[in-house]
Amino acid sequence: MTTVLGIETSCDETAAAVVVDGRDVRSNVVASQVDLHRKYGGVVPEIASRAHIECLDRVVREAMETAATGPEDIDLVAVTQRPGLVGSLLIGLTTAKTLSWVWGRPLVYVDHVLAHACSPAIGLEEPPWPAIALIVSGGHSSLYEIRGFDAIQRLGTTTDDAAGEAFDKVATILGLGYPGGPAIEQMARIGDPAAIAFPRTLLGPDSLDFSFSGIKTAVLYHVHGPGRTQGGLERLSRQDIADIAASFQAAVVDVLVRKTMRAVGQRHANAVVLGGGVAANKVLRQALAEACEERRLAFHAAPMEYCGDNGAMIAALGYHLYLRGERADLAADAQAH
Ligand code: KG4
Ligand code: ZN
């Protein structure tokens, strides 16, 4: 039995978790900074790192207390080393290095996006690999082929905005506030997804890359008028806004599902997994589940609590990397990319 403390501070969530053997989550504590960043309409890096400093000790303590583990029970420390905001990453990294050093326990570094990719495996008896993974978050939209925890190949990624970033920007255009994903999803519930035919950018016929800046601009011009960037929102009713939100969401989900199925076809896969902050979107979960069912593919979405940034996915992937012999170099630094 290997008990792992996972620490995640790459963006605006301060998170720590205790996970046994990569799948049994004993605690998963996430302190969100959303309220601190809301008035700026996005994450302010300096505010994020300061907030991590202020609350990481408490979050780690709470994760260990909830799991009823003391330092002597922890076998391994896992921490996000990349990618993310460098100042934010540094707080988690320094804390993890210090705990590993003081407790005399090994340390492993984890890639945040790969942790999202492996998050659908948490709680499963058997890992769902081989599988195609669609990972959609605020900073990333990528497709991977996963053959094992240490055999992950990227098949495609975004050429401009990430899916979550598009949700956030469109929510700002529609005056729905921050963070945009949950706000759009809620507004879309009363809207008509077929009201407006927003563009579906599929790039080349074999491309597994994504591009969401076109649809964001289409929403901008739809709201304000062609070529205009302001002045149109006041003319829209609540129902108009709901229709735009629903049509935008439908277009993004359509592209994500079609590209994932394209990857399945190209790689002859028979399983699909979904992770990342945008994976919390119920319309996306449902659409991907249906597409998989039609083609008789196995489908595993990350459980809701492991979609957004969290320490459990870091501890889980950290455990598997440790089993495969990975050890952190204490001299290594945080990496933004
Ligand atoms: O994975 P995450 O917590 O942070 C990053 O690693 O980026 O993802 C955050 C992103 C934000 O862009 C947020 O708007 C989006 O996930 N998001 C959603 C939903 N919940 C969060 N997007 C669409 N629908 C949601 N329900
Ligand atoms: Zn993330």
Side-chain angles (χ1 to χ4, degrees), residues 268-336:
H268 308 293
N270 45 32
V272 170
V273 302
L274 171 68
V278 183
N281 187 288
K282 297 208 176 57
V283 176
L284 172 61
R285 293 171 86 90
Q286 178 77 23
L288 205 52
E290 280 168 14
C292 288
E293 204 179 318
E294 266 171 32
R295 293 165 181 80
R296 298 179 184 281
L297 304 164
F299 175 63
H300 297 281
M304 291 295 273
E305 62 270 38
Y306 311 130
C307 289
D309 293 345
N310 66 87
M313 67 180 188
I314 305 302
L317 180 54
Y319 164 77
H320 292 288
L321 296 177
Y322 174 75
L323 280 192
R324 285 155 183 78
E326 289 223 8
R327 301 293 182 271
D329 167 10
L330 280 188
D333 240 327
Q335 290 173 20

Side-chain angles (χ1 to χ4, degrees), residues 8 10-13 83 112-113 116 135-140 162-169 171 178-186 189 248-249 252 275-284 304 306-310 313:
E8 152 65 42
S10 68
C11 190
D12 62 337
E13 258 96 31
H112 177 90
V113 186
H116 273 304
I135 303 311
V136 272
S137 73
H140 301 268
E165 195 178 349
F167 270 91
D168 293 334
K169 287 179 177 171
Y178 169 86
I184 297 236
E185 180 172 10
Q186 196 184 348
R189 281 196 201 118
F248 161 79
Q249 179 175 262
V252 171
V278 183
N281 187 288
K282 297 208 176 57
V283 176
L284 172 61
M304 291 295 273
Y306 311 130
C307 289
D309 293 345
N310 66 87
M313 67 180 188

Side-chain angles (χ1 to χ4, degrees), residues 57 66-67 82 94 103 113 133 151 155 178 190 195 226 236 258 261 302 310 320 322 328:
D57 279 3
T66 307
R82 62 180 294 272
T94 309
W103 293 342
V113 186
L155 305 175
Y178 169 86
I190 57 160
L236 299 180
R258 279 155 75 171
M261 293 306 132
N310 66 87
H320 292 288
Y322 174 75

Side-chain angles (χ1 to χ4, degrees), residues 12-200:
D12 62 337
E13 258 96 31
T14 314
V18 174
V19 180
V20 173
D21 292 343
R23 33 179 295 268
D24 177 10
V25 180
R26 300 285 170 92
S27 65
N28 185 40
V29 179
V30 181
S32 171
Q33 301 177 6
V34 158
D35 291 341
L36 294 177
H37 300 286
R38 181 169 283 122
K39 68 176 164 188
Y40 305 101
V43 177
V44 182
E46 181 61 21
I47 294 177
S49 12
R50 281 167 193 260
H52 286 310
I53 294 178
E54 278 168 22
C55 70
L56 185 54
D57 279 3
R58 180 173 53 76
V59 167
V60 169
R61 213 177 288 271
E62 194 182 323
M64 291 182 57
E65 281 172 12
T66 307
T69 46
E72 64 285 357
D73 305 312
I74 301 291
D75 301 304
L76 172 71
V77 181
V79 64
T80 307
Q81 186 220 7
R82 62 180 294 272
L85 303 169
V86 155
S88 292
L89 286 165
L90 267 177
I91 312 305
L93 198 67
T94 309
T95 304
K97 284 179 182 178
T98 308
L99 291 176
S100 142
W101 177 268
V102 170
W103 293 342
R105 294 293 190 271
L107 176 69
V108 287
Y109 294 148
V110 175
D111 178 298
H112 177 90
V113 186
L114 299 188
H116 273 304
C118 295
S119 63
I122 299 174
L124 297 182
E125 275 304 318
E126 289 295 326
W129 328 130
I132 296 297
L134 172 66
I135 303 311
V136 272
S137 73
H140 301 268
S141 305
S142 304
L143 282 163
Y144 294 90
E145 182 172 34
I146 306 186
R147 301 208 153 271
F149 289 101
D150 58 350
I152 305 178
Q153 185 193 350
R154 197 171 77 184
L155 305 175
T157 190
T158 181
T159 55
D160 40 55
D161 292 351
E165 195 178 349
F167 270 91
D168 293 334
K169 287 179 177 171
V170 165
T172 304
I173 295 170
L174 298 179
L176 295 177
Y178 169 86
I184 297 236
E185 180 172 10
Q186 196 184 348
M187 199 63 181
R189 281 196 201 118
I190 57 160
D192 173 7
I196 306 135
F198 285 125
R200 272 79 166 150

Side-chain angles (χ1 to χ4, degrees), residues 173-175 219-226 228-237 240-241 244:
I173 295 170
L174 298 179
V219 174
L220 189 73
Y221 291 163
H222 183 87
V223 170
H224 301 297
R228 295 171 56 90
T229 55
Q230 53 190 1
L233 196 56
E234 315 72 67
R235 289 195 295 273
L236 299 180
S237 68
D240 291 335
I241 292 176
I244 297 170

